[in-house]
Amino acid sequence: MKNEALLEVNRLHVSAGEKEILHGVDLTVGRDETHVLMGPNGTGKSTLGYAVTGNPVYTVTSGSIVFDGEDITALPVNERAKRGISYGFQQPPRFKGITVHDLLLLAAGQEKLSKDKCCAYLTKVGLCANDYLDREVDVSLSGGEVKRIEIATILARHSDLMIFDEPEAGIDLWSFARLTETFEQI
């Protein structure tokens, strides 16, 4: 039987270099729950997301991160991703030479995605699939377009835990309302 809590952060202290950023954070996220962390810039919201995903820039100096009943505090980022943790960046990367379709296929991993399924992911984030599937994920896309494409790739991964850092950044209000509906569905 699976653990009641999907994620447990216990007395977490996190540093970047010599500077401690998080000081004893506790957080429990149950299965099928949505949590929103709000606060001023510089309060550690992104750092907490990076610590949970295992970003090597940040060091857990004490405390623990337990995912699905397993202590993952010492695991590298790739092992956490394999276990079902995804992260959506505040400023998503761009990939010259990779099409949106290819990026969705990469995100899905072992799963074979039909063109229709790829289109469905793009539609969920408010993009017309016919306009985007063959486009490169490069500088020709706006920040909001890249953000929505990144969210579609996270949906294609079927992760158990999806962390989104400022999912509204660069997205117009109509599109964000649509994304809110998508987040509620997942």
Side-chain angles (χ1 to χ4, degrees):
M1 183 171 142
K2 290 194 173 205
N3 191 9
E4 288 283 327
L6 181 62
L7 177 70
E8 297 173 80
V9 175
N10 304 301
R11 297 177 303 284
L12 195 68
H13 290 256
V14 176
S15 296
E18 298 296 316
K19 181 174 172 75
E20 185 174 74
I21 300 170
L22 299 181
H23 317 281
V25 173
D26 289 308
L27 173 69
T28 300
V29 177
R31 297 182 187 286
D32 301 320
E33 289 183 355
T34 300
H35 289 246
V36 177
L37 301 180
M38 297 174 63
N41 290 343
T43 57
K45 301 177 303 291
S46 296
T47 300
L48 178 58
Y50 287 140
V52 169
T53 58
N55 184 314
V57 170
Y58 299 91
T59 304
V60 174
T61 56
S62 67
S64 65
I65 302 167
V66 177
F67 177 70
D68 201 16
E70 176 187 8
D71 187 335
I72 62 167
T73 311
L75 292 180
V77 66
N78 64 315
E79 289 300 320
R80 295 178 197 206
K82 286 178 187 175
R83 283 166 173 74
I85 300 174
S86 291
Y87 187 86
F89 294 93
Q90 186 176 348
Q91 298 288 324
R94 296 171 189 263
F95 303 98
K96 185 178 180 180
I98 296 178
T99 65
V100 172
H101 184 246
D102 290 340
L103 190 59
L104 287 167
L105 293 175
L106 284 170
Q110 300 290 336
E111 181 185 342
K112 300 285 187 209
L113 284 184
S114 67
K115 185 174 180 179
D116 287 343
K117 191 73 168 168
C118 289
C119 290
Y121 287 124
L122 292 173
T123 300
K124 281 185 179 184
V125 296
L127 296 175
C128 176
N130 290 332
D131 294 341
Y132 288 91
L133 274 181
D134 295 325
R135 287 186 66 182
E136 288 188 15
V137 186
D138 60 13
V139 295
S140 69
L141 296 171
S142 73
E145 289 170 322
V146 173
K147 180 67 105 171
R148 287 183 277 178
I149 290 165
E150 180 188 49
I151 293 169
T153 63
I154 291 172
L155 295 176
R157 282 189 46 80
H158 297 289
S159 298
D160 292 324
L161 178 64
M162 300 177 204
I163 300 171
F164 297 99
D165 191 351
E166 296 193 26
E168 79 291 352
I171 296 178
D172 60 90
L173 289 176
W174 181 88
S175 297
F176 187 68
R178 171 99 172 139
L179 280 177
T180 301
E181 292 172 13
T182 299
F183 291 142
E184 288 172 353
Q185 290 171 3
I186 59 173

